[in-house]
C-alpha cells in the first residue's frame, strides 16, 4: 500500500493535486500556497461546523477568512441555498479574486463548486471532503451542481478545484451508513477498471468496515487514481468518463422510485451495480461466478443487493429519465468482466423489459 505522496489530476493548466493523509486538517497554513493572501469563504453545514470549521480556518493564514453554515442534507442542494452563498459573498464584498472552500460531503462540495463556477463568472475553489463518498468521487473531477425539482444535478457546470484535501481523520466521525455509501463507490472502481483492486477489497472488507486507517487511505488513493486517469482522458464526459456511472442508471431509478432520501445514493448504486452485473450476464457478457463475486462483496460491505419492489414499468420509466439517454435509447454501463466495463446502447430493448419483469417478481 503506497501512500502519502499527493496525487495529481492531469488537466494541463487546470491540473491540481489531491492530498490524502491523516492529520492534514491540523497542518496550519496548508492552503496558503493556493490562497496566496486572497479573501476566503469557507462553506460548510450545521453538522460539521463544530467538528471541523476551526481547523479548516487554520489551514489559511494571512488572509481574510469568513464562513457560511448551510443546512445539512440533499434537500438543501437547491438554487435557494445557492443564493445564500451569493448573499454572503455580496455581504462580505468579495470580488473576482476570492477563493471558496467546500468543507463537507458531496452536497457541500457540489453546491460550493457551482457557486464558485458562477460567482462573477468563475472564481477559484478548494475541496475539503469529509465523507468517504466525497473523498473517492465527488470532490474529484470538477462536476458541480444543484438540484431542480425536476431532477438531481440538473443545473451545474464543470469547474475544477485548485486542490483537494482529504483528511482520513474526518472519517472517524462519519455515521456507519455514510461510510457504507462511500464503500459502494469504491467497489465501483474495482468493478469498472481494476480487477486486482476488486480482489484486494474482497480480502480486506472487514478492515474497511472497522475503519482501519491505512486500508481506508489505500482505497481513497486507488479510487482517486482511477478517477483522475479517466477524468484526465475525458473531462467533459464525451465518452469514457461515462464508465464512472456504473450502476447509476439502475441506481438513479431506485432513488427516484423509492423517493429521494429513502436510500442513500451509494446504497442505490450498490443495488444498481448488482442489477448491471445481472443484466450483463443475461446478455452473455459476464459469467455467473463473476456476478456472484460482485454481489457477494456488496453484501459483505453491508450494502443492499436488491432493488425495492417497484412495478417494472415504473422502474423503466424512471430509467428513461437518466442523463445518459440519447435519442430515447437508454445507455447502460455493463460489465465484460470484473475490472472491465463498457458503455452500450447495443442490446435488444425487450431484454431489458424482460429482465426488469423478472427482477421485480419475488
Ligand atoms: P452529504 O454531503 O449529504 O453527506 C452525508 C451526511 O454526512 C450529511 O449529513 C453530512 O452532514 C454528514 N457528514 C459529512 N461529513 C461528515 C463527517 N466527517 N462526520 C460526520 N458527519 C459527516 O452526502 P455525500 O454522500 O457526501 O454526497 C452525496 C452528494 O454528492 C449527492 O448530492 C450527489 O449528487 C453528489 N455527488 C457528486 C458527484 C460529483 O462528481 N460531483 C459524484 C457523486 C456524488
Ligand atoms: N461521479 C461521476 C463523475 O464524476 O463523472
Amino acid at each position: 500500500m503506497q501512500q502519502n505522496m499527493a496525487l495529481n489530476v492531469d488537466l494541463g493548466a487546470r491540473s491540481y493535486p489531491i492530498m490524502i493523509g491523516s492529520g492534514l486538517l491540523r497542518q496550519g497554513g496548508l492552503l496558503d500556497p493556493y490562497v496566496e493572501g486572497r479573501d476566503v469563504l469557507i462553506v460548510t453545514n450545521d453538522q460539521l461546523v463544530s467538528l471541523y470549521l476551526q481547523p479548516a480556518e487554520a489551514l489559511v493564514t494571512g488572509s481574510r477568512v469568513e464562513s457560511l453554515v448551510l443546512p445539512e442534507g440533499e434537500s438543501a442542494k437547491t438554487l435557494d441555498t445557492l443564493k445564500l452563498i451569493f448573499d454572503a459573498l455580496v455581504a462580505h464584498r468579495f470580488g473576482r479574486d476570492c477563493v471558496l472552500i467546500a468543507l463537507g460531503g458531496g452536497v457541500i462540495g457540489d453546491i460550493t463548486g457551482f457557486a464558485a463556477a458562477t460567482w462573477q463568472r468563475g472564481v477559484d475553489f478548494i475541496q475539503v471532503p469529509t465523507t468517504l463518498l466525497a473523498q473517492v468521487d465527488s470532490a474529484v473531477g470538477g462536476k458541480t451542481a444543484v438540484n431542480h425539482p425536476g431532477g438531481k444535478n440538473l443545473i451545474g457546470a464543470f469547474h475544477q478545484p485548485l486542490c483537494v484535501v482529504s483528511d482520513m481523520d474526518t472519517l472517524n466521525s462519519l455515521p456507519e451508513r455514510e461510510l457504507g455509501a462511500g464503500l459502494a463507490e469504491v467497489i465501483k472502481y474495482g468493478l469498472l477498471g481494476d480487477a486486482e483492486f476488486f480482489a484486494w477489497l474482497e480480502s480486506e472488507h472487514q478492515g474497511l468496515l472497522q475503519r482501519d486507517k491505512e486500508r481506508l487511505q489505500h482505497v481513497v488513493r486507488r479510487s482517486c487514481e482511477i478517477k483522475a486517469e479517466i477524468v484526465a482522458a475525458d473531462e467533459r464526459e464525451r465518452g469514457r468518463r461515462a464508465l464512472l456511472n456504473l450502476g447509476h442508471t439502475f441506481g438513479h431509478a431506485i432513488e427516484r422510485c423509492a423517493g429521494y432520501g429513502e436510500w442513500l445514493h451509494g446504497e442505490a448504486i450498490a443495488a444498481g451495480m448488482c442489477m448491471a452485473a445481472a443484466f450483463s450476464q443475461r446478455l452473455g457478457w459476464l459469467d455467473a461466478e463473476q456476478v456472484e463475486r460482485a454481489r457477494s462483496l456488496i453484501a459483505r460491505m453491508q450494502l443492499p443487493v436488491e432493488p425495492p419492489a417497484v412495478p417494472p414499468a415504473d422502474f423503466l420509466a424512471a430509467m428513461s429519465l437518466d442523463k445518459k439517454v440519447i435519442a430515447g435509447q437508454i445507455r447502460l454501463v455493463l460489465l465484460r468482466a470484473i475490472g472491465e466495463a463498457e458503455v452500450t446502447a447495443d442490446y435488444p430493448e425487450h431484454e431489458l423489459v424482460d429482465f426488469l419483469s423478472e427482477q421485480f417478481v419475488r
Side-chain angles (χ1 to χ4, degrees):
M1 285 188 265
Q2 182 227 4
Q3 314 283 353
N4 292 330
M5 276 174 357
L7 246 170
N8 203 45
V9 184
D10 201 355
L11 287 166
R14 285 169 295 103
S15 298
Y16 55 94
I18 306 169
M19 295 172 240
I20 303 166
S22 281
L24 292 172
L25 276 177
R26 291 198 303 271
Q27 292 187 24
L30 180 74
L31 293 178
D32 287 351
Y34 301 92
V35 168
E36 297 173 314
R38 293 176 286 169
D39 290 339
V40 170
L41 179 70
I42 301 179
V43 182
T44 191
N45 78 22
D46 49 16
Q47 285 187 342
L48 302 174
V49 64
S50 61
L51 290 169
Y52 302 116
L53 182 58
Q54 231 180 347
E57 283 170 342
L59 295 177
V60 180
T61 62
S63 289
R64 176 157 70 121
V65 180
E66 305 287 352
S67 60
L68 174 67
V69 181
L70 299 178
E72 174 280 334
E74 185 72 31
S75 58
K77 201 172 138 182
T78 61
L79 283 172
D80 286 344
T81 315
L82 178 72
K83 185 174 171 292
L84 298 177
I85 303 182
F86 296 140
D87 291 347
L89 291 165
V90 170
H92 296 306
R93 300 178 181 278
F94 275 16
R96 294 195 68 181
D97 61 346
C98 70
V99 181
L100 270 54
I101 296 181
L103 173 67
V107 167
I108 289 291
D110 278 13
I111 194 167
T112 307
F114 187 56
T118 46
W119 174 249
Q120 304 209 11
R121 301 195 181 90
V123 297
D124 287 335
F125 86 115
I126 291 170
Q127 290 270 20
V128 183
T130 61
T131 62
L132 181 61
L133 184 138
Q135 293 182 353
V136 300
D137 191 357
S138 61
V140 175
K143 280 189 182 175
T144 72
V146 294
N147 301 330
H148 182 275
K152 271 193 67 163
N153 298 328
L154 289 185
I155 309 157
F158 285 96
H159 190 56
Q160 301 292 344
L162 283 181
C163 67
V164 180
V165 179
S166 290
D167 188 332
M168 293 299 103
D169 296 346
T170 60
L171 302 181
N172 292 338
S173 56
L174 199 59
E176 215 157 277
R177 242 184 115 186
E178 300 293 347
L179 183 80
L183 287 170
E185 300 284 0
V186 170
I187 294 171
K188 178 189 80 176
Y189 290 111
L191 282 174
L192 75 86
D194 188 343
E196 205 179 303
F197 182 48
F198 184 89
W200 184 88
L201 292 170
E202 287 179 310
S203 67
E204 304 297 334
H205 73 279
Q206 273 305 354
L208 289 166
L209 288 172
Q210 285 157 9
R211 302 184 196 218
D212 174 83
K213 216 161 266 173
E214 215 184 308
R215 287 180 177 82
L216 280 174
Q217 185 163 332
H218 178 66
V219 302
V220 173
R221 189 177 179 85
R222 185 64 199 126
S223 302
C224 287
E225 277 170 359
I226 295 171
K227 181 155 186 181
E229 195 255 312
I230 291 175
V231 168
D234 179 23
E235 184 183 5
R236 299 252 162 175
E237 201 169 310
R238 312 261 189 243
R240 210 168 142 225
R241 185 164 179 170
L243 293 178
L244 296 171
N245 295 321
L246 174 64
H248 282 57
T249 307
F250 292 110
H252 285 157
I254 292 172
E255 282 181 282
R256 184 172 281 272
C257 291
Y260 286 110
E262 285 301 307
W263 287 51
L264 295 182
H265 175 71
E267 293 169 341
I269 298 317
M273 290 190 294
C274 292
M275 294 180 80
F279 190 57
S280 304
Q281 180 186 7
R282 188 185 180 93
L283 297 181
W285 287 27
L286 195 64
D287 63 40
E289 188 233 323
Q290 297 193 76
V291 176
E292 185 44 38
R293 273 182 73 195
R295 208 179 147 90
S296 159
L297 178 59
I298 290 168
R300 277 180 289 151
M301 291 291 199
Q302 293 165 18
L303 286 160
V305 292
E306 306 273 2
V310 172
D314 292 359
F315 198 88
L316 187 63
M319 286 180 75
S320 308
L321 295 170
D322 192 82
K323 288 204 270 316
K324 286 191 301 305
V325 172
I326 293 183
Q329 275 223 298
I330 301 176
R331 290 190 311 148
L332 294 171
V333 186
L334 298 179
L335 292 170
R336 290 277 181 201
I338 284 177
E340 192 187 336
E342 207 173 293
V343 185
T344 186
D346 188 16
Y347 56 85
E349 206 182 320
H350 72 86
E351 289 288 0
L352 181 61
V353 173
D354 293 350
F355 171 75
L356 293 178
S357 305
E358 288 164 20
Q359 283 278 308
F360 295 107
V361 176
R362 303 234 173 82

